[in-house]
Amino acid sequence: MMRIDLLRHGETATPGRLLGRTDPVLSDTGWQQLGRQTTDRRWDTIVASPRQRTRAPAEQLAAERALPLRVDDDWAEMDFGDWDGREISALRADATCADALAALYGGADAAQAPAGETWHALNARIARALARLLDVPSPTSVLVITHAGPMRAALALVCGIPPASLWAVKIDPGTRITLHAGRDPGTGLWGEIVEVAQP
């Protein structure tokens, strides 16, 4: 069994936007959220999405604690295509976007932003990322600094939560979700939510 702490990056300098490829720096509050969620916790290794809002705090934490760090592209946020970087409130107010945005938030497998990534594609990436974590030969603990989309995909894959139900878990910037996870040769991934720590 492995302990996996999934940590959403803290608040950024441009809150309220769909941030996939768009990659603002963390705000002062975002750095403080990181500190609160990592103080007095121990890991054997750190994995991070390649975005600067996740990689920069991972690099700092790894350096402070002399821990190995691996940057894994598969933990990047969903690509929101033509909506990337736009304000969510503006998309909801636009009649041409509102229904498609609702489908995306509803977790429909084929739903996507225009020219963006589907949930199916995100789930495939996170399945690969989880497999790499669980390929470690002995039980360990890992911190994954990532984004809300990959965290929801991991919950769906590890805990069997239906996509439409994932929005019942609040994952604001700075949220940490602790899982115990493993892989059974017969049944595949399994896991349980141990803790949800809000920022």
Side-chain angles (χ1 to χ4, degrees):
M1 179 178 66
M2 177 180 286
R3 191 186 90 223
I4 303 172
D5 279 306
L6 300 170
L7 176 59
R8 184 181 178 187
H9 63 80
E11 178 189 275
T12 69
T14 58
R17 295 175 183 268
L18 280 179
L19 300 178
R21 301 181 318 275
T22 306
D23 199 15
V25 299
L26 294 184
S27 66
D28 289 343
T29 297
W31 283 103
Q32 292 163 8
Q33 290 167 335
L34 171 78
R36 286 195 298 272
Q37 292 288 28
T38 57
T39 298
D40 298 327
R41 296 188 71 80
R42 303 278 182 266
W43 299 278
D44 297 318
T45 191
I46 299 173
V47 176
S49 152
R51 302 292 180 244
Q52 68 173 342
R53 61 191 184 271
T54 50
R55 191 181 67 244
E59 289 172 345
Q60 176 175 302
L61 195 61
E64 289 172 352
R65 301 194 182 187
L67 290 173
L69 168 64
R70 178 167 55 85
V71 176
D72 186 337
D73 289 352
D74 280 339
W75 285 105
E77 180 59 288
M78 176 181 275
D79 183 345
F80 294 112
D82 296 344
W83 293 346
D84 216 293
R86 292 186 58 188
E87 291 185 356
I88 297 168
S89 59
L91 291 169
R92 286 184 173 138
D94 183 337
T96 62
C97 299
D99 288 345
L101 184 64
L104 185 68
Y105 272 94
D109 206 36
Q112 66 186 112
E117 188 175 21
T118 64
W119 279 105
H120 179 76
L122 176 64
N123 284 337
R125 285 199 283 114
I126 299 308
R128 291 193 304 263
L130 288 167
R132 283 191 290 276
L133 292 183
L134 294 170
D135 280 343
V136 174
S138 58
T140 186
S141 58
V142 61
L143 170 64
V144 180
I145 303 181
T146 185
H147 313 267
M151 289 172 70
R152 287 191 168 91
L155 289 175
L157 291 163
V158 172
C159 300
I161 299 173
S165 300
L166 291 170
W167 302 96
V169 181
K170 186 176 182 180
I171 308 179
D172 282 342
T175 298
R176 177 176 48 79
I177 299 177
T178 302
L179 303 175
H180 285 163
R183 188 169 45 193
D184 183 271
T187 59
L189 287 173
W190 61 267
E192 59 185 359
I193 299 171
V194 177
E195 181 181 16
V196 178
Q198 300 295 345

